[in-house]
Amino acid sequence: MRLARQALYTAGATLLAAHPALAQTAEASAPTADPKLPLLWFLLSTLLLVMLVFWVFFVALIAWMRPQLRQLYDLPTVHNTWSGRVLGLLVGDARLVQGEVRDELLDHDYDGIHEFDNDLPPWWKYGFVLTAIFAVCYVSYYHVAKTGQLQGAEYATEMQQAALLIAATPDDPNKLTTYTVLNTPAELSSGKSLFTTNCAPCHGASAEGKVGPNLTDEYWLHGGEVNHVYKTIKFGVNGKGMVAWKGKLSGKQILQVASYVLSLQGTKPANAKPPQGEKEAPAKTLASR
């Protein structure tokens, strides 16, 4: 009993001594807030408040000085100048944006349709000039100097960069496998069973083609080499109705199905679907689509 009490006392003292160290460890591991963040929000809020006060003061000043600004705007020496048109925006005259509206009829008369002699809006004219300048710069940069990439080259570069971001793993659709065809009766029998269960509803019991293409001819939509067919079965074809069998069949089962389809080349089943895709030599036609 005495030894047990001494052991308990020792354990309690050890825990009490370790408590401050544990507290310090917890405090050290706790995430600390960035001290600069509150200062940044304070500066942004202050800036927005100053801008709001300035805008209110500016609007109030314009409203208070509007009669004097109108008198200044009506002066002949000011009215038709560039600065006068800017001043006109403050007193309600939008000539700078809308252009001159003279409402003067021209002599043109087309089936009762009359034409007014009005200027094009300045914003339209400025936009047209900027468009012409942009077109000259674009042609010079992309087609004359050939400094920038056109859409096709830019797309190819982005696809190469995207391919580098995908890890080269067995589930990488951009990395082609290096399998060979399975030729043993047992493997082909397993492939036939899997094909009958999973593939026949779309490709037919003899692979003659139904919704999916005929798999017994020399024509292939996505490549007839065994590894191309393996890839098509595993990852499917988006938008074409070919589902991805990855996760439903193992890698070996997919290879068994591809090898079985290879064994059907040239069997010419009844009611075969017309060829689809590109023709490949029988020596290269080693797998399914």
Side-chain angles (χ1 to χ4, degrees):
M1 291 296 293
R2 181 179 299 175
L3 292 176
R5 285 197 298 269
Q6 289 179 351
L8 289 175
Y9 292 154
T10 303
T14 303
L15 290 175
L16 290 175
H19 183 269
L22 292 174
Q24 291 177 359
T25 303
E27 291 176 357
S29 61
T32 57
D34 188 356
K36 297 181 180 179
L37 191 59
L39 178 61
L40 177 62
W41 282 113
F42 173 76
L43 293 176
L44 289 176
S45 303
T46 304
L47 179 61
L48 291 176
L49 181 61
V50 170
M51 293 176 63
L52 179 61
V53 172
F54 177 79
W55 176 253
V56 172
F57 176 77
F58 178 76
V59 172
L61 181 63
I62 294 300
W64 178 63
M65 295 185 61
R66 191 161 187 171
Q68 292 80 3
L69 294 176
R70 168 60 70 175
Q71 293 178 1
L72 179 62
Y73 175 68
D74 290 336
L75 293 175
T77 56
V78 177
H79 188 76
N80 293 322
T81 62
W82 175 262
S83 59
R85 294 184 180 184
V86 175
L87 182 61
L89 294 176
L90 301 178
V91 297
D93 189 349
R95 281 190 309 152
L96 183 63
V97 179
Q98 297 179 355
E100 296 284 349
V101 181
R102 292 187 291 269
D103 291 338
E104 296 178 2
L105 286 174
L106 298 176
D107 296 335
H108 307 156
D109 185 357
Y110 303 97
D111 297 331
I113 300 174
H114 300 282
E115 182 180 357
F116 285 96
D117 185 16
N118 292 326
D119 289 339
L120 286 170
W123 63 265
W124 191 96
K125 292 187 287 188
Y126 300 148
F128 178 79
V129 173
L130 291 175
T131 302
I133 295 174
F134 174 81
V136 172
C137 296
Y138 182 91
V139 172
S140 301
Y141 183 77
Y142 286 99
H143 295 278
V144 178
K146 296 183 179 180
T147 305
Q149 290 183 329
L150 295 177
Q151 291 181 347
E154 189 176 29
Y155 174 77
T157 300
E158 291 180 353
M159 292 300 293
Q160 291 176 358
Q161 294 174 349
L164 294 176
L165 297 176
I166 301 177
T169 65
D171 288 332
D172 180 4
N174 295 307
K175 182 181 179 181
L176 202 62
T177 55
T178 56
Y179 296 131
T180 57
V181 179
L182 304 176
N183 293 318
T184 62
E187 301 287 7
L188 293 177
S189 177
S190 298
K192 179 179 180 180
S193 177
L194 292 168
F195 181 91
T196 302
T197 303
N198 301 293
C199 308
C202 290
H203 293 282
S206 301
E208 71 276 11
K210 288 184 177 180
V211 178
N214 177 9
L215 302 179
T216 64
D217 55 30
E218 299 176 357
Y219 292 82
W220 301 91
L221 291 171
H222 307 287
E225 197 273 330
V226 61
N227 292 287
H228 286 95
V229 180
Y230 180 92
K231 173 183 174 181
T232 304
I233 297 174
K234 184 174 183 178
F235 298 104
V237 182
N238 291 331
K240 298 295 184 179
M242 177 64 184
V243 299
W245 291 96
K246 178 182 68 172
K248 304 173 185 176
L249 299 178
S250 66
K252 183 176 181 179
Q253 289 176 322
I254 294 175
L255 185 58
Q256 288 172 340
V257 174
S259 300
Y260 170 71
V261 172
L262 167 66
S263 69
L264 299 177
Q265 293 298 290
T267 55
K268 298 180 180 180
N271 300 320
K273 194 174 182 179
Q276 295 174 268
E278 298 182 0
K279 185 176 181 180
E280 295 189 13
K284 294 182 180 180
T285 307
L286 299 178
S288 111
R289 314 170 207 227

